[in-house]
Amino acid sequence: AQTVTQSQPEMSVQEAETVTLSCTYDTSESDYYLFWYKQPPSRQMILVIRQEAYKQQNATENRFSVNFQKAAKSFSLKISDSQLGDAAMYFCAYTRFGNEKLTFGTGTRLTIIP
Amino acid sequence: DAGVIQSPRHEVTEMGQEVTLRCKPISGHDYLFWYRQTMMRGLELLIYFNNNVPIDDSGMPEDRFSAKMPNASFSTLKIQPSEPRDSAVYFCASSFGGGIGEETQYFGPGTRLLVL
């Protein structure tokens, strides 16, 4: 069974600094997708970024980028120029190609220090 | 597009009562998912539909839970009778599979359920 592990229950960063959230996963599949979702205090789940496993290039969305290491089964999220609005729970998620079920990690609570 | 719409946003009920949660997926999406989020268990997939047909309900906790999707624009999750341990945030999500592989799931705002 696929598992997703987020080993950092909580992280904090100074405003305008850079922070990296870790995620590792376990799978025997070669084709899959990885996601980072943000859940602010409103509890809305918001897609931050998505990575296709067959793509070597790391995904980037404005201040958010990932470091995808397929061999190491690692998928970290880097937030540059952290802003107060980035404060939230961040969930890493996995789904294999051809299967629509998402497997989520336990989340990392990110605090932004003004 | 308005995104995934869920109602009600908050529900407080007493143990033993029937609870019905509603979801309207994004127009054109052919997959619909129901999740439950609790502090103890995190995010759990309860059931999902493809083209209105239930595909996997292995996450449904017990017979007290049932879900339907009578058409492409509406789904319900019903709990009868409700119990305090059902208190959680219930999310609906939808995606467009398109036959080329899974696509991103977009989540609704959730329904916060409290069973007293």
Side-chain angles (χ1 to χ4, degrees):
Chain A
Q2 290 82 16
T3 58
V4 177
T5 302
Q6 294 180 249
S7 58
Q8 306 154 314
E10 296 184 352
M11 292 280 287
S12 61
V13 63
Q14 292 277 352
E15 192 176 3
E17 297 295 310
T18 296
V19 64
T20 299
L21 308 184
S22 301
C23 173
T24 59
Y25 56 94
D26 184 24
T27 183
S28 58
E29 304 291 334
S30 58
D31 292 330
Y32 50 87
Y33 298 81
L34 297 162
F35 306 85
W36 279 98
Y37 281 89
K38 170 186 176 181
Q39 187 177 41
S42 66
R43 291 196 172 269
Q44 174 86 48
M45 292 287 286
I46 302 166
L47 175 70
V48 175
I49 200 164
R50 158 195 164 113
Q51 175 80 44
E52 293 86 349
Y54 63 85
K55 289 186 177 180
Q56 293 186 339
Q57 186 174 6
N58 289 325
T60 299
E61 288 288 344
N62 301 314
R63 297 182 296 107
F64 298 87
S65 61
V66 300
N67 184 4
F68 174 50
Q69 301 288 330
K70 190 172 184 179
K73 297 180 182 175
S74 171
F75 182 61
S76 61
L77 175 69
K78 185 172 82 171
I79 306 174
S80 304
D81 185 24
S82 298
Q83 300 176 1
L84 295 178
D86 296 333
M89 282 288 286
Y90 286 82
F91 292 93
C92 179
Y94 162 99
T95 186
R96 69 173 174 86
F97 185 86
N99 184 326
E100 294 70 28
K101 295 170 68 170
L102 272 176
T103 300
F104 284 90
T106 52
T108 296
R109 182 175 302 280
L110 178 65
T111 300
I112 310 297
I113 303 168
Chain B
D1 198 311
V4 177
I5 299 172
Q6 290 186 248
S7 63
R9 294 293 304 277
H10 303 273
E11 179 80 24
V12 180
T13 190
E14 293 186 345
M15 182 175 62
Q17 296 297 307
E18 178 180 294
V19 175
T20 300
L21 311 181
R22 297 173 176 81
C23 176
K24 176 179 169 57
I26 293 172
S27 177
H29 282 190
D30 54 353
Y31 284 88
L32 183 139
F33 306 81
W34 283 101
Y35 291 88
R36 178 172 69 177
Q37 185 179 32
T38 62
M39 288 294 293
M40 292 298 294
R41 301 175 66 90
L43 273 157
E44 304 173 276
L45 176 66
L46 300 177
I47 185 171
Y48 77 94
F49 296 82
N50 177 220
N51 291 323
N52 314 337
V53 176
I55 303 300
D56 186 343
D57 65 355
S58 59
M60 294 286 264
E62 49 198 275
D63 292 345
R64 297 184 297 106
F65 286 70
S66 63
K68 294 182 179 180
M69 192 165 185
N71 57 62
S73 59
F74 184 65
S75 176
T76 60
L77 178 67
K78 186 175 294 186
I79 308 172
Q80 167 64 19
S82 58
E83 297 182 3
R85 59 192 169 120
D86 301 331
S87 298
V89 180
Y90 291 81
F91 288 101
C92 177
S94 71
S95 69
F96 175 62
I100 58 174
E102 62 287 311
E103 283 292 335
T104 303
Q105 293 183 25
Y106 293 91
F107 284 73
T111 295
R112 185 188 292 263
L113 173 64
L114 177 61
V115 183
L116 302 173

